[in-house]
Amino acid sequence: MQGVIKSYDPVTGDGVLVNEADLADIDLADNALEGSLFRMLRQGQRVQFDLDDDGRATRLRIGSEVDMGTPEL
């Protein structure tokens, strides 16, 4: 899934992103940045993400971290 950071508090780690598919607000999971290249998020930043079992964004990554697959010949 892909979205845009709406807000992020680096002190608490709380944040919200907007899902580009349906424009819904999605809260960031507590571990959203664990294992990520991101150490900080800024408003308007585009991210790839997964949803956890509670519907929160997790595993934030930039587009280059997404497997683009092997093209068919």
Side-chain angles (χ1 to χ4, degrees):
M1 302 177 95
Q2 186 166 289
V4 176
I5 299 298
K6 182 175 182 177
S7 64
Y8 178 71
D9 182 341
V11 175
T12 63
D14 292 335
V16 176
L17 62 81
V18 177
N19 184 352
E20 287 189 352
D22 60 7
L23 302 180
D25 284 356
I26 300 175
D27 291 328
L28 296 181
D30 294 338
N31 63 349
L33 297 182
E34 286 181 20
S36 172
L37 293 176
F38 294 118
R39 296 294 168 251
M40 185 70 168
L41 298 170
R42 60 178 167 69
Q43 187 176 12
Q45 187 171 18
R46 186 178 307 270
V47 295
Q48 299 280 335
F49 65 95
D50 296 327
L51 291 178
D52 66 11
D53 293 337
D54 295 322
R56 296 175 301 173
T58 188
R59 292 194 58 234
L60 268 57
R61 54 203 182 275
I62 56 176
S64 64
E65 292 179 314
V66 176
D67 181 7
M68 300 304 286
T70 303
E72 294 182 29
L73 300 175

